[in-house]
Every structure is written in structure tokens, then in C-alpha cells.
Amino acid sequence: MALKLYTYWRSSAAYRVRIALNFKSLPYESVPKHLLRDGGEQRKADYLAINPQGLVPALVHDDCVIPQSLAICEYLEEIQPLPPLLPGQACSRAIVRGMALAIACDTHPLNNLPITGYLRREFGADDAAVQRWIAHWIARGFGGLERWIASLDPGAAPAARRVCVGSQVTLADVCLVPQMYNARRFDVDLGPYPGLVAICRHLEALPAFAAARPDAQPDAE
């Protein structure tokens, strides 16, 4: 199957999709779109013709164009069910999807380029203010996720955790690792989240995750 991924090395959303593609051993062509150069290559007419939202990532599979990282991951799950990123049991699947949404929809967008750029332009936020904004929303998201994961297995020590749900890698893990990358990038205090830190330490050593990391991408700066 011919898969083409429009990506940017430091995009958390694209990072999720790279992990999912690697996890399912799906080869793909990487087409970088620099989000800052020349006003943002994702805003140019040629890319808007592919993804009218002007966002990365976008996945092209033959004649099918899929924007939005979670939609892409769900699509990959359907066309390549093994190894699975969603558990077989309905309740567990819902929990995994809920965690993925908590990261991708409630946490990540609030520290993304369009939001922080707007804070600077419209409200005069300086670097320190933007840093506080980002740290606040990541802390709020991570706090809820740390408690949620702990509630699923109350007897487990945080430092012993390896994945978010159950015993296998899921879509929740695919979303967590890129958000942890963001947290480190913006110097967020990770002390209150020992379970999340332990999970990411384990996951980041796995080949599918390691190959997807931002600094391993051909367009990394």
C-alpha cells in the first residue's frame, strides 16, 4: 500500500502518527512541511489543496486523504488491525480512546503554535507568560491522566508502570509520548507524575517509538 505522510519533525500530532505507522510496520513516504518557514508551508496553496485545514499531519493512501492525527490512527487500525492499538473489550477500548482524546483534544491544542502565537499577538504575552500558560495546561492534563491511570490499577507502584491501559501498547500510549516530549521541551515540572514518566521511559525505548522521535526525522533542525 502506498502511504504518504505530510509531517513536521516537532509536531506532536505528526509524532503520534509516525509512532502508529511504525508500530504497525507500515512503510510510508515522509513529506515535511515546515510550520514556520515562509509564514508556514502548511498554509501554501499546494498543501491547502491536499488538506484544506492547513494543518499537519495529513495521510494520503492512494486516493484517500485523511487529516487529523486520531482519525489517521483509527484508519490505520482499520486497514492494518495487527498489532492492535485498541483493546478487544468495549470498555477498555472506550477508556483508551478517552485518554487519547484527553491528550489530543484537551491538553495538546492549548500549547500549540496557533494558540501561543495568538497569545503573543493579541494579548502581548512574552516568553515567560507563554511558558506559564503552557505549563499550566500540561500540568492540568497530566494531573488528571496520572490519577486516571492509577485508578485502573491502584495496587501498582507508579515507577513500575509500563503502559497506560492493560499490558499492551495502545492509542493512549501513542498520544502520551509526544505530549511528554512537549512537557520536557517547555521545562514542565514532571515530579507530580511518576507514573507517566515511568510509562514514557519504557515506551521511548521501544523501536516504533524511538524511530518516530522528533530528532530522528529527516527534517529535524
Side-chain angles (χ1 to χ4, degrees):
M1 60 179 70
L3 294 168
K4 181 184 295 186
L5 178 67
Y6 291 87
T7 182
Y8 176 61
W9 68 285
R10 209 155 59 180
S11 161
S12 300
Y15 191 174
R16 294 173 203 140
V17 175
R18 294 194 301 262
I19 294 170
L21 286 162
N22 294 342
F23 183 75
K24 290 180 174 292
S25 299
L26 290 170
Y28 65 95
E29 177 188 354
S30 178
V31 183
K33 290 293 175 183
H34 200 291
L35 301 188
L36 298 173
R37 185 181 298 137
D38 297 328
E41 293 176 352
Q42 77 280 14
R43 299 189 179 98
K44 305 300 183 185
D46 61 338
Y47 185 65
L48 290 174
I50 296 166
N51 182 3
Q53 284 190 296
L55 301 171
V56 298
L59 183 75
V60 179
H61 181 200
D62 297 331
D63 295 328
C64 183
V65 180
I66 308 108
Q68 292 293 336
S69 62
L70 292 188
I72 295 170
C73 290
E74 292 268 4
Y75 178 78
L76 297 177
E77 184 77 354
E78 293 183 9
I79 65 170
Q80 184 77 11
L82 298 176
L85 282 171
L86 291 170
Q89 202 267 343
C91 180
S92 296
R93 290 169 78 90
I95 290 170
V96 165
R97 285 185 169 116
M99 289 185 181
L101 289 167
I103 296 167
C105 299
D106 293 346
T107 306
H108 169 239
L110 290 163
N111 47 85
N112 215 356
L113 273 175
I115 303 299
T116 57
Y118 190 82
L119 289 172
R120 295 177 191 277
R121 291 191 309 273
E122 298 298 322
F123 301 102
D126 59 13
D127 288 345
V130 169
Q131 173 72 22
R132 289 196 303 273
W133 169 275
I134 291 171
H136 169 79
W137 293 110
I138 291 179
R140 179 171 173 174
F142 273 11
L145 193 60
E146 179 84 11
R147 292 188 297 271
W148 191 355
I149 291 171
S151 74
L152 299 177
D153 188 8
R161 300 192 187 282
R162 296 294 177 265
V163 293
C164 291
V165 179
S167 59
Q168 302 296 323
V169 171
T170 67
L171 185 58
D173 302 301
V174 168
C175 291
L176 175 60
V177 165
Q179 192 58 47
M180 184 63 75
Y181 169 82
N182 280 349
R184 294 185 186 120
R185 177 185 168 199
F186 293 110
D187 297 320
V188 174
D189 178 14
L190 299 176
Y193 322 113
L196 301 186
V197 169
I199 289 168
C200 287
R201 185 183 302 116
H202 169 72
L203 294 172
E204 287 163 350
L206 301 179
F209 287 78
R213 72 182 189 273
D215 62 358
Q217 304 317 300
D219 59 321
E221 297 175 357

